[in-house]
Amino acid sequence: MVKVITYGTFDLLHYGHRRLLERAKALGDYLIVGVTSDDYDKTRGKINNQQPLMERIAAVKELGIADEIIVEEYEGQKIDDIRRYGVDIFTVGSDWEGYFDYLNEYCKVIYLPRTEGVSSTEVRSEKRKLTIGVVGTTVFRTKFIKESQYVNGVNVVGVYASEPGDVASVQDVFYTDQYDDLLAKVDAVYVISKPEMHYQHVKKALESGKHVLCESPVAYTRKQCEELYELASSKGLILMDAIKTAYATAYERLLLLAKGGKIGKIISVDAVCTSLRDGITIEDADLSKKWNSMCGWAPAAMLPVFQILGTDYTKKLFFTKFQDREENMDAFTKVDFVYPSAVATIKVAKGAKAEGELVIAGTEGYIYVPAPWWKTDYFEVRYENQEDNKRFFYQLEGEGIRYEIVAFAKAIESGRNLSYVPEEISTAIAGVIEDFNARKDMIEIE
Ligand code: CTP
């Protein structure tokens, strides 16, 4: 009996898949189909799958071509499978020509011509057509536009800012200095204007029926933030807080481990985020350059604190060194949060440098995330007995931005808020920024 094996994602199963499987089956007597797991696809940069593993398996099964279906979960599994199942022929579409030649050592490798004119990517892009406009000018804007290109069916079509900057050089993206003009031409906006303008930009977008992905803080006061979320929900629109760290797989996993009791009861969370590179620029005319240390970094730093310990802290105290007090520009701020049975500290700076690590301490061990923890792909769970230590690595593409855009697009499609930054946390962050701006509970250092 000649055994044949092939692998694929088979998302939104199409004619090209069926033809591939029919020809694969015809190569022998018994066909094994390996369907990639969601996690494995994520690690190899396939972030757009619309169907979860079980649905993709069910679709392949329904074709009735495969004799056996297995799940492909890790790099290097193919060799294991070929040995384990006694496979004679490995086959895959010609888009992989040459890539699997190394398997010749274990079995025969055949590349079958790919069916022209159809792919899961195209089917997904047809299903989803979402146009996004960007509000504001920063270096980050370019990153966002670039990252959006990895998300099927999402197109950044325009930018509203007080000056064009480098927009002119981006193909197919128009520039306007009129917000109404942008809003008239898009389904959704990504707001990265200067923080004190978020409220008005978000509000106007929602009032115009547009979905919003907004950099944190979403507003300058807790009340305004709540108002925006209420407005979004009353209009059936998505409003998402854009803290990209929330979408990094490693970060998600460490949260689960911490909350699942892996290090016992959590006693403290310490997060540090600094960057001298962005400097502290004050350019009033511009829509977005005015980000102090608190707005630029504290939302990301507060994320693990609030996700692990909750937002009901009993006390908080700011320690701030201003570079320009009038302009509310802090060079360095440390914030202590006190909870009934835990404490947390964040240190953020654009005018000072420190090790950008995250440490979550528990009664049985601690989680250590090396710098820069906010774009983390790696962390360690450490114990008193070093032999028990565990290291975790999860591939991170594009600092989490593309996963965030996928979540935003999916939320819009499904009408459900799939934000990884819960509304309650987004609002609590706005509340902390509000108190900082009011110099409430603040000790200033010279
Ligand atoms: N395939 C094919 N003809 C197509 C599309 C896919 O022969 N038009 C083959 C691939 O070469 C592979 C298998 O079907 O052997 C599974 O491919 P998969 O990556 O799941 O499908 P794609 O449509 O290529 O998906 P994507 O657009 O996400 O890359």
Side-chain angles (χ1 to χ4, degrees):
M1 183 169 73
V2 177
K3 274 193 175 182
V4 182
I5 198 163
T6 189
Y7 296 85
T9 303
F10 304 105
D11 189 32
L12 305 173
L13 200 103
H14 54 69
Y15 172 68
H17 292 142
R18 199 181 72 218
R19 280 206 58 217
L20 187 282
L21 294 178
E22 282 167 353
R23 285 173 294 153
K25 174 79 179 244
L27 292 173
D29 309 304
Y30 190 84
L31 177 66
I32 303 171
V33 179
V35 181
T36 49
S37 74
D38 297 324
D39 264 359
Y40 180 51
D41 267 339
K42 216 169 167 187
T43 62
R44 53 190 203 120
K46 277 204 138 193
I47 58 166
N48 284 292
N49 292 353
Q50 294 223 333
Q51 293 181 299
L53 175 65
M54 295 318 275
E55 278 181 29
R56 292 182 283 116
I57 288 179
V60 171
K61 196 168 174 189
E62 204 168 297
L63 286 179
I65 304 171
D67 294 291
E68 191 171 346
I69 297 176
I70 59 170
V71 178
E72 186 182 23
E73 292 178 280
Y74 58 89
E75 179 94 45
Q77 185 183 323
K78 292 187 178 74
I79 296 175
D80 286 349
D81 289 342
I82 290 167
R83 285 189 177 137
R84 191 181 305 144
Y85 296 103
V87 168
D88 303 289
I89 300 174
F90 167 90
T91 187
V92 70
S94 53
D95 41 328
W96 295 98
E97 187 80 50
Y99 193 86
F100 293 108
D101 287 358
Y102 69 94
L103 293 175
N104 269 314
E105 205 179 300
Y106 307 91
C107 68
K108 195 168 171 193
V109 175
I110 298 177
Y111 299 101
L112 291 167
R114 192 180 156 90
T115 306
E116 293 297 316
V118 61
S119 70
S120 300
T121 304
E122 279 169 43
V123 180
R124 285 189 295 256
S125 301
E126 273 306 307
K127 273 184 76 186
R128 172 196 290 156
K129 289 220 180 299
L130 179 68
T131 53
I132 301 185
V134 179
V135 183
T137 15
T138 60
V139 189
F140 205 74
R141 178 182 70 187
T142 322
K143 228 182 221 177
F144 183 85
I145 296 176
K146 215 173 110 213
E147 284 298 311
S148 70
Q149 289 161 0
Y150 290 94
V151 185
N152 297 158
V154 168
N155 283 310
V156 173
V157 294
V159 168
Y160 156 58
S162 50
E163 53 184 64
D166 58 1
V167 178
S169 64
V170 188
Q171 231 187 347
D172 301 327
V173 176
F174 70 85
Y175 162 76
T176 174
D177 61 358
Q178 299 298 316
Y179 196 20
D180 287 321
D181 189 25
L182 182 83
L183 289 173
K185 293 175 184 152
V186 297
D187 306 315
V189 288
Y190 165 60
V191 177
I192 191 169
S193 51
K194 60 184 176 185
E196 56 265 50
M197 297 179 89
H198 286 182
Y199 171 73
Q200 72 183 72
H201 284 147
V202 174
K203 191 171 177 189
K204 188 159 179 180
L206 293 172
E207 282 168 346
S208 313
K210 310 298 171 185
H211 305 281
V212 180
L213 175 64
C214 180
E215 279 300 328
S216 210
V218 170
Y220 246 19
T221 70
R222 169 184 276 276
K223 217 166 150 262
Q224 285 182 338
C225 196
E226 283 166 355
E227 182 197 321
L228 292 174
Y229 278 107
E230 266 162 37
L231 179 62
S233 121
S234 74
K235 297 199 122 218
L237 294 167
I238 300 297
L239 168 57
M240 254 172 71
D241 192 318
I243 304 177
K244 62 182 189 306
T245 305
Y247 298 85
T249 314
Y251 177 78
E252 273 178 71
R253 295 296 148 94
L254 77 83
L255 265 193
L256 288 179
L257 293 183
K259 289 177 152 184
K262 266 273 178 268
I263 51 170
K265 217 172 144 317
I266 293 168
I267 301 294
S268 80
V269 179
D270 293 284
V272 182
C273 301
T274 70
S275 61
L276 284 174
R277 192 173 16 108
D278 323 351
I280 308 180
T281 37
I282 305 163
E283 284 180 42
D284 258 339
D286 189 84
L287 274 171
S288 61
K289 279 187 187 145
K290 208 175 170 185
W291 288 73
N292 57 13
S293 305
M294 268 308 275
C295 287
W297 278 125
M302 284 189 269
L303 186 71
V305 174
F306 291 160
Q307 285 190 305
I308 292 169
L309 301 176
T311 53
D312 289 331
Y313 51 86
T314 50
K315 262 190 210 146
K316 111 176 141 301
L317 191 55
F318 296 100
F319 300 87
T320 295
K321 179 179 172 55
F322 280 104
Q323 172 171 307
D324 186 336
R325 202 172 186 281
E326 297 279 279
E327 291 286 344
N328 202 26
M329 285 292 159
D330 57 330
F332 170 91
T333 294
K334 170 173 178 277
V335 193
D336 285 344
F337 295 92
V338 181
Y339 290 79
S341 53
V343 289
T345 299
I346 64 162
K347 282 187 206 156
V348 295
K350 285 193 172 186
K353 195 69 198 156
E355 184 72 11
E357 57 190 21
L358 170 68
V359 180
I360 305 163
T363 49
E364 289 163 27
Y366 68 100
I367 292 175
Y368 170 72
V369 194
W373 73 265
W374 54 91
K375 37 182 160 178
T376 184
D377 55 10
Y378 175 77
F379 65 91
E380 293 178 24
V381 182
R382 295 178 176 173
Y383 299 97
E384 187 70 42
N385 181 358
Q386 286 192 15
E387 284 171 16
D388 297 334
N389 290 1
K390 285 208 165 59
R391 294 147 186 256
F392 295 83
F393 177 81
Y394 299 92
Q395 189 71 31
L396 177 71
E397 308 280 353
E399 298 178 22
I401 304 164
R402 64 185 75 164
Y403 310 120
E404 174 179 82
I405 304 174
V406 168
F408 184 51
K410 279 191 179 163
I412 292 172
E413 268 159 19
S414 68
R416 284 181 301 128
N417 202 333
L418 302 171
S419 176
Y420 288 28
V421 184
E423 192 176 314
E424 181 202 340
I425 290 182
S426 179
T427 312
I429 289 172
V432 173
I433 301 288
E434 176 179 2
D435 291 344
F436 172 84
N437 291 341
R439 315 270 191 262
K440 201 175 153 215
D441 303 323
M442 182 183 285
I443 294 173
E444 287 186 41
I445 52 173
E446 293 280 302

